[in-house]
Amino acid sequence: MSKRLAIILLTAPALIVLLGVFIIPMLMMFLLSFQNDQQSFTLENYALFFQDTFYLEILGRTIRVSLWTVLATLVLGYPVAMFMSKATGRMRGIVTMCILAPHLISVVIRNFGWVVVLGESGWINKTLMALGIIDEPLRLLYNELGIVIGLTDAFIAYMVLAIATSLYSIDPSLHKAASILGASRIRTFFSVTLPLSLPGIVAGTTLVFSLSMSSFVTPQLMGGTSVKVIPVLAYEQIMSTLNWPLGSALAFLLLGSTILLVTLYTKLIENKRYKEVFSS
Amino acid sequence: MLAKVIDVELRNIMKKFQNNIVVQNFNLQVEQGEFISFLGPSGCGKTTTLNMIAGFLEPDGGDLFIKGKRMNGVPPYKRELGMVFQTYSLFPHMTVAENIAYGLKLRKVGKAEIQERVQRVLNLVKLPHVADRYPKQLSGGQRQRIAIARALVIEPSLLLLDEPLSNLDAKLREELRDELKRLHQEIGVTTIFVTHDQEEALSLSDRIVVLNHGRVEQIGTPLEIYNHPASEFVHTFIGKTNRMEGEVAEVAGDRVTVVTSAGLRIVAGCQSRNFAPRQKVAVFVRPERITLSTTPPGDVANKVQGRLQISSFLGSYTEAVVQAGGHTLSVKVQMIDQAASLTLGTEVWCQWREEDVLVMPAERDGA
């Protein structure tokens, strides 16, 4: 049996499933997004999106919330990844476990947990008020901040693991070399560790951005009824309004924006000064 | 004569990991411009000591001085040292020029001067045209030259070499070894070189520190180490040797006669140690000091008849194993020697000179 045939046979089951439950439905949705009530071809679903600022604002919010989530997971996740890459054996296992353990609980349950914590009578507001730092409760829920908090919790593990993987692959003697050449720890971090972990940062940020853009459950629960993102809107169009064509068009506009932004981002980074880091 | 300038001094340096003492009682003075090697098997403490000099590890006891200043507790980036690592450790995201300029930029050297010094040091390591390349576009030997250039460009007070030749293949290793020797002669920077390869240590060093199990076995010039080993470990670690056990039969001045456990009489001349009759000793003769012949040698003290068992042709010489007088002797036969073409099983005579025999008190019992 030739090697090529073996590859085809081995991947065939997965390919068939993918074709049946992903590619064909996607194509059907795509065709649907160009239909009107009379089931004839139209561009009006897409035209509506660009004419009505309501939709553009929601796309803007979706992108904004995703970018904040990327920033929050990056800033909070990088130190954890660094700690993981320096830890050995048992400790590394414990940290990995701590990062992955929350994922054993359904995201719905975790979001309800946040609602309890962040609500007006949640412990954060109660504590701050008891200490006299604030007079009235902070609004931490049912706004963009709430969504960002929920998404950060949901996706930080991806960021940590992506960055940790790239940190593992840095030869520890590079840090020694920088140090003996006169670089302080901070200097070594910015001139050696950070640039060499760029592939991990790009992987983590791309992953978290895409996941945040298409996230549905967390924005639904943490954003409430008035602060919507595109996936929530598309869901409503399909399930409540039963406007399948508009729902489909929204879904493809979301996909299009995500692909466009991610492509621009990776092109920009990889062509810049540190392109050598990505070429191996 | 000028007074000696001491660049590095280790006083009673001790290091332990948990409860394991990995370096102890390490005392050493390195003179300015000296090339000194730490030689020993893996786990002997040589790299640990180097890391303490570099500042990556802190000694648990003793004092370290570089250029007269006590360095305990001083971080590596404030020590003004140059270091070359086994894995080259060039920054992969920087060009060769950027790698070399790294230390200069940190020292706030001006742009024009940086450029000039980078070019000068590239010429020094004979790679003037690679400034704009990235490390992975270079061969292993070239990378290590760039690493050496990067360490030298800051004009360090001390150059530390951590097994810099171990990752290279045999031919390159020899080439770069000669290169290191030339660089040291040209620049004269005080150098500490860590290696497990006795040939590298012998060929490069002014002095060698032989280490074993965290202890200094001997400090001396390559000749002293080779010809007057302080211990059996030093003698056996530096090159191949034949070891025979026996008992002292007769002592006459510096001339000692030993009868081996197999009954062979060996006369050793020029011995620096004192022995008493009936003392248990070990006798050593290096393979290259034994001569083979098919006819009985004339009137020499050390000769034994045997049978050629194995001979391995190794290019410039042949390694023969001879079963003689109850001992198995390894003999290094130079190619020009007719003995090199002897067939297996031939009756041969082994002989060696009295002064090529080394006698040491037995460190272990039995064979």
Side-chain angles (χ1 to χ4, degrees):
Chain A
M1 191 162 46
S2 76
K3 202 174 172 187
R4 179 180 286 236
L5 186 66
I7 289 169
I8 291 171
L9 283 177
L10 283 170
T11 50
L15 283 176
I16 290 166
V17 171
L18 200 66
L19 192 73
V21 305
F22 181 68
I23 295 175
I24 291 174
M26 282 278 284
L27 281 173
M28 288 166 72
M29 288 271 288
F30 190 63
L31 294 175
L32 199 61
S33 72
F34 290 102
Q35 278 179 12
N36 58 17
D37 302 347
Q38 285 76 45
Q39 306 207 332
S40 53
F41 178 83
T42 178
L43 287 170
E44 68 184 28
N45 297 315
Y46 289 93
L48 180 69
F49 183 88
F50 290 103
Q51 280 157 9
D52 193 337
T53 52
F54 170 76
Y55 295 107
L56 287 173
E57 265 171 36
I58 292 185
L59 178 65
R61 171 186 299 139
T62 311
I63 294 171
R64 190 164 57 241
V65 161
S66 303
L67 288 177
W68 277 115
T69 306
V70 167
L71 189 68
T73 50
L74 180 62
V75 170
L76 296 173
Y78 204 105
V80 181
M82 271 192 87
F83 180 77
M84 260 178 92
S85 71
K86 295 218 166 98
T88 47
R90 246 177 93 105
M91 197 60 210
R92 185 180 285 187
I94 292 170
V95 178
T96 312
M97 196 58 220
C98 288
I99 289 162
L100 294 178
H103 289 258
L104 297 173
I105 303 163
S106 154
V107 72
V108 179
I109 313 259
R110 276 198 285 158
N111 283 330
F112 278 127
W114 279 115
V115 171
V116 171
V117 171
L118 300 173
E120 298 206 342
S121 54
W123 68 260
I124 290 184
N125 272 319
K126 272 190 176 167
T127 312
L128 289 175
M129 280 177 25
L131 291 170
I133 296 169
I134 50 171
D135 295 327
E136 48 187 73
L138 295 170
R139 273 188 61 81
L140 303 169
L141 264 183
Y142 309 125
N143 55 13
E144 291 184 15
L145 176 63
I147 301 178
V148 171
I149 292 174
L151 290 178
T152 301
D153 167 45
F155 300 140
I156 193 165
Y158 297 95
M159 186 67 88
V160 171
L161 295 178
I163 295 172
T165 308
S166 73
L167 289 174
Y168 292 153
S169 64
I170 301 177
D171 177 358
S173 75
L174 289 181
H175 299 127
K176 284 180 157 189
S179 181
I180 205 85
L181 284 164
S184 62
R185 276 158 164 258
I186 293 169
R187 193 68 195 236
T188 303
F189 174 77
F190 283 108
S191 61
V192 178
T193 316
L194 191 61
L196 289 178
S197 67
L198 268 181
I201 294 177
V202 171
T205 49
T206 311
L207 195 61
V208 170
F209 182 75
S210 313
L211 289 169
S212 302
M213 285 289 279
S214 58
S215 181
F216 167 72
V217 175
T218 302
Q220 169 95 320
L221 292 171
M222 308 282 287
T225 45
S226 55
V227 185
K228 292 195 176 96
V229 293
I230 296 283
V232 175
L233 199 64
Y235 172 83
E236 282 177 0
Q237 287 300 324
I238 290 171
M239 299 305 285
S240 316
T241 323
L242 295 179
N243 187 346
W244 283 63
L246 182 58
S248 307
L250 287 172
F252 278 96
L253 282 162
L254 178 73
L255 179 66
S257 343
T258 309
I259 291 174
L260 185 73
L261 290 170
V262 166
T263 312
L264 279 177
Y265 167 67
T266 45
K267 281 274 170 291
L268 200 73
I269 288 232
E270 292 177 7
N271 286 331
K272 270 263 184 88
R273 240 193 94 194
Y274 294 118
K275 62 173 189 280
E276 204 56 29
V277 182
F278 294 95
S279 58
S280 51
Chain B
M1 213 173 95
L2 285 166
K4 289 173 189 167
V5 180
I6 302 302
D7 259 3
V8 186
E9 186 173 1
L10 280 69
R11 274 189 214 155
N12 263 319
I13 290 289
M14 190 270 279
K15 180 74 195 170
K16 53 184 178 187
F17 293 134
Q18 274 118 31
N19 285 326
N20 270 337
I21 294 179
V22 288
V23 173
Q24 61 179 320
N25 294 329
F26 201 140
N27 286 294
L28 176 70
Q29 289 189 331
V30 184
E31 282 171 39
Q32 191 169 42
E34 202 173 10
F35 194 117
I36 202 152
S37 295
F38 292 176
L39 175 68
S42 55
C44 71
K46 57 189 193 294
T47 300
T48 306
T49 309
L50 195 76
N51 278 326
M52 285 192 278
I53 297 171
F56 298 126
L57 292 173
E58 270 304 306
D60 292 316
D63 300 294
L64 168 71
F65 296 87
I66 297 175
K67 297 253 174 203
K69 267 184 261 167
R70 188 167 180 275
M71 282 292 167
N72 298 51
V74 177
Y77 54 89
K78 288 189 180 157
R79 292 193 180 192
E80 294 290 322
L81 309 177
M83 188 159 177
V84 177
F85 302 85
Q86 189 176 348
T87 52
Y88 320 132
S89 304
L90 295 175
F91 305 125
H93 57 302
M94 299 182 196
T95 62
V96 164
E98 286 168 340
N99 262 285
I100 297 173
Y102 189 82
L104 295 175
K105 274 189 191 151
L106 290 169
R107 284 165 183 76
K108 308 252 189 294
V109 177
K111 236 181 178 177
E113 196 192 332
I114 287 185
Q115 219 176 2
E116 191 220 307
R117 280 169 77 172
V118 167
Q119 198 52 52
R120 206 190 317 147
V121 81
L122 279 173
N123 292 338
L124 185 71
V125 296
K126 295 185 173 159
L127 287 171
H129 304 301
V130 300
D132 296 324
R133 290 198 211 160
Y134 282 95
K136 70 160 181 268
Q137 296 169 291
L138 304 177
S139 70
Q142 289 176 323
R143 284 185 215 187
Q144 202 55 297
R145 279 166 199 251
I146 296 304
I148 294 166
R150 184 178 65 177
L152 288 176
V153 78
I154 62 164
E155 286 163 11
S157 55
L158 178 64
L159 180 63
L160 307 175
L161 305 171
D162 187 7
E163 307 221 17
L165 309 179
S166 303
N167 271 15
L168 303 169
D169 57 51
K171 194 173 177 299
L172 261 177
R173 195 179 313 168
E174 227 167 281
E175 219 178 282
L176 212 61
R177 193 174 78 191
D178 295 343
E179 188 74 13
L180 275 176
K181 194 160 194 158
R182 177 184 70 83
L183 282 172
H184 183 254
Q185 277 163 0
E186 263 177 54
I187 309 167
V189 61
T190 313
T191 306
I192 298 180
F193 175 71
V194 161
T195 182
H196 61 263
D197 184 312
Q198 79 273 4
E199 252 183 57
E200 285 173 10
L202 289 171
S203 70
L204 285 168
S205 320
D206 295 318
R207 280 192 302 159
I208 299 173
V209 180
V210 185
L211 289 157
N212 188 28
H213 295 307
R215 285 170 193 275
V216 175
E217 292 270 339
Q218 189 173 2
I219 301 177
T221 65
L223 272 176
E224 283 167 5
I225 299 269
Y226 194 82
N227 290 333
H228 305 288
S231 64
E232 192 178 324
F233 172 80
V234 175
H235 182 72
T236 50
F237 191 74
I238 309 268
K240 262 194 144 177
T241 189
N242 290 297
R243 181 182 197 275
M244 290 161 279
E245 296 198 350
E247 222 179 67
V248 175
E250 199 186 319
V251 182
D254 61 1
R255 203 159 173 270
V256 184
T257 307
V258 177
V259 175
T260 68
S261 49
L264 180 65
R265 250 182 113 79
I266 296 176
V267 182
C270 309
Q271 298 300 306
S272 50
R273 290 176 177 80
N274 291 319
F275 295 97
R278 302 200 59 78
Q279 189 181 344
K280 298 266 185 215
V281 289
V283 182
F284 301 90
V285 187
R286 294 231 187 247
E288 66 270 25
R289 301 288 165 88
I290 302 177
T291 320
L292 288 189
S293 58
T294 41
T295 48
D299 188 24
V300 288
N302 295 313
K303 57 185 171 188
V304 59
Q305 195 180 19
R307 195 176 290 275
L308 188 65
Q309 259 192 343
I310 308 170
S311 91
S312 330
F313 174 62
L314 293 167
S316 58
Y317 65 93
T318 295
E319 203 170 87
V321 176
V322 178
Q323 194 68 44
H327 295 283
T328 308
L329 295 175
S330 174
V331 184
K332 198 168 165 180
V333 189
Q334 296 303 323
M335 259 324 278
I336 39 168
D337 223 307
Q338 66 176 130
S341 55
L342 287 176
T343 42
L344 298 188
T346 316
E347 293 277 332
V348 287
W349 285 89
C350 299
Q351 60 169 315
W352 56 89
R353 302 184 308 167
E354 289 176 18
E355 56 269 39
D356 289 335
V357 182
L358 180 74
V359 184
M360 275 200 250
E363 281 175 20
R364 43 183 194 202
D365 293 325

